[in-house]
Amino acid sequence: MYVAGDLSNAANFTAANQTLSNANVYINTNDAQAADFGGSLSLGGLYRAGARDPAAFAIIKAGKTNNTDLNYSVYLTFGTSNSGSNIAERMRIDNLGNVGIATTAPSTLLHLGLAGTTLGTLGIAGNTSGLV
């Protein structure tokens, strides 16, 4: 780890380029093998002016999809908080590559979940030429 100057809690990890099947930094859990267990990365900062109160703003987590020995089936989630609330999952990429927004069980390549009985809105912005 390299810490420089007045960057009081900064870290710089440097290593050779890695392929998709390897990594420069590993974040693991040491819990027993179980579904939904895996490494996570929390991102945050100070949330009150004049105070040194840190808070987690968002999280990226990889979790095991099952309890099966020697099975590496995993999902990747992204979560954010909303004005002081707990961090909630907002997007998931499942073990098949399906992406779910506002759903924890995406069943298609892009699955948009809707809460309650009110239909949501999907916005697509761009110019008038090309594919939408």
Side-chain angles (χ1 to χ4, degrees):
M1 183 184 333
Y2 172 73
V3 179
D6 61 355
L7 304 173
S8 59
N9 287 313
N12 181 350
F13 300 93
T14 304
N17 185 51
Q18 300 295 322
T19 64
L20 194 55
S21 62
N22 211 339
N24 293 87
V25 177
Y26 287 91
I27 300 173
N28 300 306
T29 63
N30 61 359
D31 296 306
Q33 168 196 300
D36 296 321
F37 281 49
S40 61
L41 174 66
S42 178
L43 306 166
L46 301 178
Y47 69 95
R48 274 196 317 180
R52 304 282 311 158
D53 295 332
F57 299 154
I59 193 166
I60 302 170
K61 177 187 175 183
K64 198 163 165 23
T65 61
N66 57 57
N67 293 322
T68 307
D69 231 8
L70 300 175
N71 188 317
Y72 288 88
S73 181
V74 299
Y75 60 85
L76 183 66
T77 62
F78 298 84
T80 61
S81 63
N82 182 14
S83 187
S85 65
N86 291 332
I87 294 175
E89 182 176 325
R90 308 295 183 192
M91 185 175 82
R92 176 181 292 231
I93 304 172
D94 72 8
N95 59 308
L96 300 174
N98 294 331
V99 176
I101 298 174
T103 179
T104 59
S107 58
T108 58
L109 190 57
L110 177 59
H111 185 149
L112 304 177
L114 302 173
T117 58
T118 305
L119 292 178
T121 302
L122 174 62
I124 300 174
N127 60 32
T128 58
S129 62
L131 300 175
V132 176

